[in-house]
Structure formats: C-alpha cells, structure tokens
C-alpha cells in the first residue's frame, strides 16, 4: 500500500514539474488561473494512474498525456502552435531522459537490474523516484532560466538560483548515504 502512495506522490511531483515548465516556458494568457494548473496536474495524474494499470501498448501511454498537455497549451498558454508542440514533446523527452539516466546510474551503483528497480517496490526504487524527479526539476528549471536571459546581471542571478538545487542534491545524497550505510536492522523501510 505504501508503495502505491509513494508512486502517486512521485507522479504528482512529475506532473507539477511538467505544468510548471509549460507555463513558465510559454507564458500564460488571461484565461489562465492557478486552479487550471491544479486541474491539469490532477488530470495528468489520473491519466498516468489509469494508463499504467490498463494500457499495454507504450505508444498510447505517451500520446495521452501529450494530448492533454497540448489541450492545456492551446487553451491557456502563449506561443505558436509549433512552439507549444515542441514544448510538450520536449518536456516528455526530458522526463524520459532524466528517468532513464537516473535508472542507469542507480542500477550501476547498487549492481541491480534496471527492470528490477523500475518495477519492484524496493529502497532502490524509492531512491530512483526521488533522484529522477530532482534531476527532472533541475533540468527543467535550468532550461527555463537560461531561455529568458537578457543581461549579464540576470545570468549571475540565475547561476546563484541554480546553486540551491545543486546543494539540495548534495545534501540529499549525503542523507541517503547515511540511511543506506548506517541503518538500524530493527527499522523496516
């Protein structure tokens, strides 16, 4: 039961990053409100949950959220049709790349099979979800920050802002090392 809750929280985090990226990268129109963001996060989360349970064909499972993102982009975001399409495809590709890269990294660190840590509820799977979402957040924030640079002063401020997630990742890694190597055998994770 707890593994389903963890997966749900990770999915909500991923969908929040997607909606944040699209709204920050494209900009919003006058009809957009924060309630729309929550609505589309909810829709994407429900879709992901249902699709993961029912759909066997991978192509369909990726087309459904892209279609939802395109509908949101069409209704509430600025930019040309091509820029909206590119943004939706790009964020999905970025999510897949950070997830696959993180899975490869964690499987090599823990000497496990990638299929195992992407399907079975283990400590490695939890670590994968946390780190993949953090990498996804950092990568999407970096793209947003550097896509809106106007002056050298802006660049210095954005580099300073990028240091915050970097230090958070270092701190998280240190804590995970502590948990993995100095655990009490009486505690069940």
């Amino acid at each position: 039961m707890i593994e389903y809750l963890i997966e749900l929280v990770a999915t909500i985090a991923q969908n929040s990053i997607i909606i944040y990226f699209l709204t920050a990268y494209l900009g919003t129109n006058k009809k957009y409100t924060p309630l729309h963001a929550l609505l589309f996060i909810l829709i994407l989360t429900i879709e992901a949950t249902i699709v993961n349970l029912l759909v066997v064909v991978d192509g369909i499972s990726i087309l459904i959220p892209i279609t939802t993102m395109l509908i949101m982009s069409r209704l509430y975001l600025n930019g040309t049709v091509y820029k909206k399409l590119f943004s939706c495809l790009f964020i999905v590709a970025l999510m897949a790349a950070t997830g696959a890269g993180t899975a490869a990294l964690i499987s090599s660190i823990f000497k496990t099979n990638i299929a195992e840590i992407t399907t079975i509820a283990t400590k490695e799977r939890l670590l994968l979800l946390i780190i993949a979402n953090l990498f996804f957040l950092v990568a999407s924030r970096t793209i947003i920050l550097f896509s809106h640079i106007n002056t050298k002063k802006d660049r210095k401020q954005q580099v300073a802002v990028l240091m915050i997630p970097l230090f958070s990742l270092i701190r998280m890694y240190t804590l995970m090392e502590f948990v993995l190597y100095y655990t009490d055998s009486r505690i069940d994770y």
Side-chain angles (χ1 to χ4, degrees):
M1 182 63 181
I2 190 77
E3 55 269 0
Y4 295 115
L5 182 61
I6 291 169
E7 293 284 337
L8 180 64
V9 169
T11 302
I12 291 169
Q14 247 178 359
N15 293 329
S16 299
I17 295 167
I18 289 170
I19 298 302
Y20 169 77
F21 175 83
L22 291 174
T23 56
Y25 188 76
L26 294 170
T28 59
N29 63 27
K30 293 178 183 176
K31 294 185 280 182
Y32 178 82
T33 66
L35 189 59
H36 291 107
L38 292 174
L39 175 67
F40 278 96
I41 290 168
L42 179 66
I43 290 169
L44 287 170
T45 302
I46 291 169
E47 284 176 354
T49 304
I50 292 172
V51 166
N52 286 342
L53 294 174
L54 302 178
V55 177
V56 180
V57 181
D58 255 354
I60 293 172
S61 66
I62 199 65
L63 288 177
I64 294 170
I66 289 173
T67 304
T68 302
M69 287 181 251
L70 285 171
I71 291 169
M72 180 195 165
S73 297
R74 174 75 177 107
L75 294 174
Y76 302 110
L77 303 180
N78 299 325
T80 65
V81 173
Y82 298 111
K83 190 171 183 180
K84 291 175 183 179
L85 178 62
F86 171 77
S87 299
C88 294
L89 294 175
F90 179 80
I91 195 66
V92 170
L94 183 64
M95 179 179 60
T98 54
T102 306
L105 177 71
I106 290 176
S107 72
S108 67
I109 290 172
F110 291 104
K111 310 280 190 268
T112 61
N113 186 347
I114 289 178
E116 187 177 305
I117 63 171
T118 56
T119 57
I120 300 170
T122 61
K123 287 187 270 188
E124 291 86 4
R125 172 76 178 152
L126 175 62
L127 186 62
L128 170 66
L129 292 172
I130 292 169
I131 293 175
N133 276 335
L134 284 173
F135 282 158
F136 184 42
L137 175 64
V138 169
S140 62
R141 285 276 302 155
T142 303
I143 291 164
I144 291 165
L145 288 172
F146 285 104
S147 68
H148 300 311
I149 291 178
N150 294 326
T151 65
K152 287 186 180 184
K153 182 180 177 185
D154 287 342
R155 281 193 195 128
K156 287 180 183 177
Q157 289 173 343
Q158 291 172 356
V159 168
V161 168
L162 285 175
M163 296 307 285
I164 295 168
L166 177 64
F167 288 127
S168 296
L169 285 173
I170 292 168
R171 188 176 64 219
M172 184 191 71
Y173 175 77
T174 305
L175 287 172
M176 290 306 293
E177 286 287 318
F178 181 77
V179 168
L180 291 173
Y181 293 110
Y182 302 104
T183 57
D184 186 345
S185 62
R186 295 172 292 176
I187 300 172
D188 184 24
Y189 291 97

